[in-house]
Amino acid sequence: MNKLLEIIDLKKQFGGLTAVNDVSFSVAEGEIVALLGPNGSGKTTVLNMISGALTPTAGTIALAGETISNLPPHKIAHKGVSRTFQLVKILPSLTVAENVIAALAFRPNPLWGSAAQDRADMLLADVGLSGRGHEHADDLTYIDQKRMELARALAAEPRLLLLDEWLSGLNPTELRVGIDLIVSLRARGMTIVLVEHIMEAVRALCTRAVVMNIGSKIAEGPTDDVLADPAVIAAYLGDGHA
Ligand SMILES: Nc1ncnc2c1ncn2[C@@H]1O[C@H](COP(=O)(O)OP(=O)(O)O)[C@@H](O)[C@H]1O
Ligand SMILES: [Mg+2]
């Protein structure tokens, strides 16, 4: 398998706190890998280092064989890494289409004018917001904000998509919609690192899972095996002796 993302001995220290401690894993092209672990285990910090929002204390991150861990965030974005945030980030005073058009303007090959408008319409259709471009972003329901956030992330035509608890806060019907949207991305060959607490989604979407606890990787393998691992179950139950 072709490794798209390779993380080796990644470490992040905040003062005396080691938030990520020598974590290594890789993600093949077209794969959806779950990054799991209880709150505070370092998952978002890993995503922040992949996207360049944080600089690693040590270790390397490579995208398609090229080291990206010393690059600023916009360069990493231009290499093909897009993300969503644990708390949805939108431009609330703009319309839905303008939110996507703003993302299109920041690509390495920016789109403007009617080309941007047309592409925004396509991206909105892809996430189930067909014909909704004129609505105000802050009038959208939560699931529709999530759809728009995804359209913004896809505007960059990423090779690697980082989803940080993108499905959290959805009701059961919306969750089904959200899972189906990620399935449609998988069908198009998108490579995804999925940080998620909803195990139904993890089982439905991810062939492989990596589990962290207190900064360290404690398990990695096929999703069903990992979720049945006593050390993983103990970590989620807050058992420090796992
Ligand atoms: N910018 C920061 N400064 C200081 N500590 C941080 C920062 N970001 C995260 N942490 C700490 O690092 C640890 C891991 O956090 P995080 O990566 O957000 O965990 P998770 O996403 O798994 O819940 C936590 O103890 C958190 O308080
Ligand atoms: Mg987090």
Side-chain angles (χ1 to χ4, degrees):
M1 279 202 290
N2 245 351
K3 280 180 191 170
L4 180 64
L5 176 71
E6 186 163 29
I7 291 176
I8 301 168
D9 294 337
L10 193 62
K11 187 189 286 285
K12 183 67 189 181
Q13 285 169 329
F14 295 111
L17 173 81
T18 303
V20 175
N21 195 8
D22 293 340
V23 168
S24 302
F25 67 94
S26 58
V27 181
E29 196 98 46
E31 200 179 21
I32 305 186
V33 170
L35 182 58
L36 307 177
N39 276 331
S41 55
K43 307 177 299 292
T44 296
T45 303
V46 169
L47 295 194
N48 281 336
M49 288 190 279
I50 299 171
S51 68
L54 290 173
T55 308
T57 305
T60 56
I61 303 168
L63 187 74
E66 183 185 0
T67 300
I68 57 169
S69 34
N70 47 6
L71 297 178
H74 70 277
K75 291 244 170 71
I76 294 175
H78 284 188
K79 299 271 178 206
V81 178
S82 275
R83 70 177 298 180
T84 64
F85 290 87
Q86 194 163 347
L87 300 172
V88 180
K89 286 194 181 179
I90 60 169
L91 305 169
S93 60
L94 301 185
T95 67
V96 173
E98 285 165 347
N99 263 271
V100 179
I101 288 168
L104 289 166
F106 285 99
R107 309 191 319 169
N109 50 341
L111 290 181
W112 310 99
S114 63
Q117 190 75 54
D118 291 350
R119 180 60 64 85
D121 288 348
M122 279 172 55
L123 287 162
L124 289 173
D126 281 348
V127 299
L129 287 176
S130 207
R132 309 272 305 275
H134 62 281
E135 293 181 24
H136 269 276
D138 57 0
D139 289 338
L140 293 181
T141 61
Y142 193 56
I143 177 72
D144 287 344
Q145 284 187 18
K146 296 238 165 192
R147 292 182 201 266
M148 186 183 75
E149 191 195 24
L150 189 59
R152 281 168 56 82
L154 294 174
E157 295 176 27
R159 306 176 70 181
L160 175 68
L161 187 60
L162 310 174
L163 299 179
D164 196 356
E165 301 196 29
W166 187 73
L167 295 164
S168 75
L170 300 177
N171 69 38
T173 312
E174 294 170 334
L175 178 63
R176 202 55 253 169
V177 172
I179 290 174
D180 287 346
L181 263 175
I182 299 176
V183 167
S184 73
L185 296 179
R186 179 174 64 190
R188 289 193 274 153
M190 184 66 72
T191 309
I192 301 175
V193 177
L194 186 84
V195 170
E196 195 47 73
H197 279 300
I198 302 166
M199 290 307 150
E200 177 195 347
V202 170
R203 288 181 197 280
L205 293 168
C206 306
T207 47
R208 231 153 46 78
V210 172
V211 187
M212 294 176 65
N213 190 29
I214 330 174
S216 297
K217 183 173 86 174
I218 59 164
E220 175 174 17
T223 302
D224 288 342
D225 296 357
V226 161
L227 295 182
D229 182 336
V232 172
I233 294 165
Y236 269 94
L237 294 175
D239 180 347
H241 307 289

